[in-house]
Amino acid sequence: MITDWGGVLTSPLNDAIATWLDADQIDADLYRTVMRAWVRQAYDGEGTNPIHGLEDGTLAPAEFERLLAAELLTVDGGPVVAEGMIARMFTAFTPVEPMYDALRTLRAGGIRTALLSNSWGNDYPRDLFADLFDAVVISCEVGLRKPDEAIFQHAVDLLGLTPADCVFIDDIEHNITAAEALGMRGILHTGPAETLDALSRLGLSV
């Protein structure tokens, strides 16, 4: 089983972003306009943008923060503080314990597990990884990003399996589509109950 991190093993990304926007008093409509365009290009468009660079490690997190802050304003029209922005964006992430429990149960039952995450320069609970995963693939550390086929194949290779042997869980449909095109079985994560049910229907005891 290969799983994403943010939004799957954590509380929803949109909730964390909403908390950050409110705490930093950032114009939420402006943020959504900017980020919608960046994300659309990152997944649908050609060429590169700051999200590509951040996720594949070619753009330093501090530079991403500077570029994003330059596009934003506070609710009263003032500048947005760039330094430490990424940490503030994700500070409201909380672990989703049923998903962690499922990982531990599956691994104890002999299922190989891997993390496959597009990093935004954020911190991970790496102290837990040894107990959760047989392989860890962080996009900026391998110079690849989802939905590129190569990063999925890299994760599969680290597990010593084939794509057909693997189930992939992610909360972004583009990534699920890419994994399925490679031959994996995909589960689009909308919540822990739904994902655990989907795993059970695949015969994986969680």
Side-chain angles (χ1 to χ4, degrees), residues 130-145:
D131 293 330
L132 294 171
F133 303 113
D134 296 290
V136 173
V137 180
I138 307 296
S139 63
C140 66
E141 296 175 0
V142 298
L144 300 165
R145 61 182 289 275

Side-chain angles (χ1 to χ4, degrees), residues 147 149 152 163 174-186:
E149 177 181 309
F152 293 102
H174 284 278
N175 296 335
I176 294 295
T177 300
E180 291 177 337
L182 191 62
M184 298 185 193
R185 287 165 289 178

Side-chain angles (χ1 to χ4, degrees), residues 3-204:
T3 181
D4 181 35
W5 184 69
V8 176
L9 300 183
T10 75
S11 51
L13 174 61
N14 287 341
D15 292 353
I17 294 297
T19 298
W20 162 63
L21 293 172
D22 183 62
D24 279 20
Q25 289 293 286
I26 293 171
D27 183 324
D29 289 337
L30 178 58
Y31 167 80
R32 293 186 184 100
T33 297
V34 171
M35 193 54 61
R36 191 177 297 119
W38 284 12
V39 169
R40 185 182 301 115
Q41 186 183 38
Y43 284 93
D44 294 336
E46 297 181 357
T48 60
N49 72 11
I51 290 177
H52 284 98
L54 182 65
E55 291 182 342
D56 70 15
T58 58
L59 182 71
E63 179 63 9
F64 177 88
E65 292 175 334
R66 187 191 68 79
L67 292 170
L68 181 55
E71 298 288 334
L72 304 179
L73 293 170
T74 63
V75 292
D76 59 4
V80 172
V81 176
E83 185 176 359
M85 178 186 291
I86 290 173
R88 297 195 304 276
M89 290 173 77
F90 297 111
T91 192
F93 264 170
T94 56
V96 178
E97 294 299 341
M99 293 300 300
Y100 279 88
D101 290 343
L103 276 168
R104 294 185 179 98
T105 298
L106 289 170
R107 198 169 183 221
I111 300 296
R112 296 182 65 77
T113 60
L115 178 71
L116 176 52
S117 176
N118 278 357
S119 173
W120 274 42
N122 48 291
D123 293 326
Y124 292 86
R126 294 177 187 263
D127 57 312
L128 302 178
F129 284 2
D131 293 330
L132 294 171
F133 303 113
D134 296 290
V136 173
V137 180
I138 307 296
S139 63
C140 66
E141 296 175 0
V142 298
L144 300 165
R145 61 182 289 275
K146 296 176 292 186
D148 295 344
E149 177 181 309
I151 197 169
F152 293 102
Q153 188 63 56
H154 180 62
V156 170
D157 290 344
L158 289 177
L159 291 174
L161 301 171
T162 69
D165 296 321
C166 299
V167 176
F168 175 66
I169 303 169
D170 202 290
D171 60 333
I172 296 178
E173 190 167 2
H174 284 278
N175 296 335
I176 294 295
T177 300
E180 291 177 337
L182 191 62
M184 298 185 193
R185 287 165 289 178
I187 296 175
L188 180 62
H189 181 84
T190 58
E194 293 81 2
T195 293
L196 296 182
D197 181 62
L199 288 170
S200 294
R201 284 188 275 109
L202 289 172
L204 298 173

